[in-house]
Amino acid sequence: MKTGASLAVLLFLASPVYPREDAPRFGDWFRDATLRVDYDHCGSARSERIYLDALWKQGPWAGSFHGLLDPLDQGRYRAEVRDPASGKLLFSRGFNSLFGEYKTTRPALDGRGRVFHESFLLPMPKKKVLFLLSARDPRGKLRPLFQTLLDPGDRNIHREKPGLGVVSFPVLRAGDPHACLDVAFLGEGYKADQAGKFKKDVERFAGYLLSQPPFSRHKDRINVWAAFRPSRQEGCDQPDRGIWRDTSLGAGHCAFGLPRYCLTFDNRAVQEVAAAVPWDTLAILVNKKRYGGGGIYNLYCLFAADGPDQDRVFLHELGHSFGGLADEYYSSRVAYNDFYPPGVEPREPNITALLDPARLKWKDLVEPGTPIPTPWGKEKYEALQREFLARERKVQAALGRARGRERAALAKDLQAMKAAHRKALRAFLKKCPYWNKIGAFEGAGYASKGLYRPSMHCLMYAFSPEERTYCKVCERALERRIAFFLE
Ligand SMILES: [Zn+2]
């Protein structure tokens, strides 16, 4: 797939962002339309390849005319668009991908290859451009993965309107999509006669979003859109319960073998529905009650419309998909292995390996007198957690065997047990003198040791009913992302 056009261009990879006066101007290079590049991302932990699939011309460009170059350098992948003649960087974005998650799982480490369909959206170039993808190695260094020339005059670019049968409508209109943040909610598992429920659900979640700092500060610059293609059945797949549903976006639990991890791998279906509205970030609302969701940076977040704590699960997953934020928790089981290799500073803005405490990335938010690392009662907390998990496992096992009324009663007991445990933990943690401070608290990013989070409470740490806001570090990271779209 290498074009051979200019290997020299590879030398530009990861070059610093241009000073403002040299930054590319939208009108010089792009038209107000969207070019979607579809490709297959294949391989295992041992090798990784990209194969071009198809190009699509979609509606107007939803992004800013000014924010062409991604200033944040987040994500395990990076896409760049360059002028083939000069190598000038015209457009860039960092992102994470489902393949990127897969390659840290056991089957991938054992060399089992899989293929994931992915898309990258850029403004329609006026002339031929070079499209480059690179992946970070375990040390965080960008390695070239793929490059190809994109020719806007290519007669094979699909120009038909995708999305037969897609229903779309604006929910909140603040202004011109180019100058606003466009949040698109996509409906999954809603039947044709449930359009009214979908609309109400989107309005409810849009309300949560706009009441939460930092989003609440930009209410007048956030558009909310909704789109769905009716599903034949409600809900989504639950392989661990033998439940399979014919739905329009193909979402399901047990992603990468983890029951609570709910995702869709049907990228084409997602892109087709999303193309009906202008969007900067996608939120997939699944018409189901069961707890579980997921969020991938610059791909989408997915969550249950009627699940427990659904408003906070939504904000947590949006923290991943929109903000590029890491999980601040470490005590839940995940499918990953060495998701953050030891001794490497994570790219996410809200966790740190604290390799150099003097250069803590959120140092300016730490009050003088707060020790780094910050003590927080970790040992006692972990003992309480261990004791609870042992009890929970027993109830879960009984739940697996039970049927009917007995099952319902056990499920209720489990919820009450969880609530009591959360309450007890919170009471214990609140006694810590740094409860409301920003510091560096050990235990984050699925690791009990060697990774640190900025706060003792944050939506990226837990999304229980007690947890209502992002910590100051996460809030600032989200604020920076919002600003990028409002440029
Ligand atoms: Zn946080």
Side-chain angles (χ1 to χ4, degrees), residues 224-406:
V224 176
W225 305 88
F228 88 115
R229 178 183 265 158
S231 296
R232 282 186 55 208
Q233 293 179 296
E234 277 183 60
C236 70
D237 296 339
Q238 303 180 52
D240 56 331
R241 295 180 184 174
I243 295 170
W244 297 90
R245 294 281 182 258
D246 180 356
T247 56
S248 61
L249 299 182
H253 282 261
C254 304
F256 303 123
L258 207 63
R260 71 166 193 279
Y261 205 13
C262 189
L263 296 172
T264 169
F265 294 87
D266 192 346
N267 176 61
R268 278 189 195 86
V270 172
Q271 293 295 334
E272 277 192 24
V273 174
V277 292
W279 61 270
D280 296 311
T281 192
L282 293 178
I284 300 176
L285 190 52
V286 184
N287 187 21
K288 63 160 181 152
K289 288 194 171 74
R290 183 176 175 185
Y291 166 82
I296 316 276
Y297 180 49
N298 262 342
L299 182 59
Y300 62 72
C301 65
L302 184 150
F303 50 96
D306 303 307
D309 305 327
Q310 69 273 27
D311 50 344
R312 284 152 296 238
V313 174
F314 161 51
L315 295 170
H316 174 93
E317 302 302 351
L318 188 76
H320 293 306
S321 64
F322 177 69
L325 300 173
D327 277 316
E328 292 177 15
Y329 62 74
Y330 66 96
S331 50
S332 298
R333 190 168 81 84
V334 292
Y336 319 121
N337 296 275
D338 265 348
F339 201 72
Y340 299 104
V344 181
E345 177 64 11
R347 304 208 70 76
E348 290 89 340
N350 63 326
I351 61 170
T352 178
L354 207 59
L355 300 174
D356 181 0
R359 291 173 60 196
L360 177 63
K361 50 195 172 191
W362 53 78
K363 192 179 171 187
D364 58 316
L365 295 176
V366 179
E367 278 178 25
T370 306
I372 301 294
T374 316
W376 64 280
K378 185 168 183 282
E379 280 172 19
K380 174 81 195 289
Y381 168 88
E382 287 177 359
L384 288 170
Q385 279 287 60
R386 268 196 304 275
E387 182 269 332
F388 170 73
L389 288 173
R391 273 193 296 141
E392 190 194 27
R393 257 195 301 276
K394 274 188 199 157
V395 181
Q396 289 281 18
L399 201 58
R401 293 188 298 268
R403 291 288 173 270
R405 265 193 209 164
E406 192 197 350

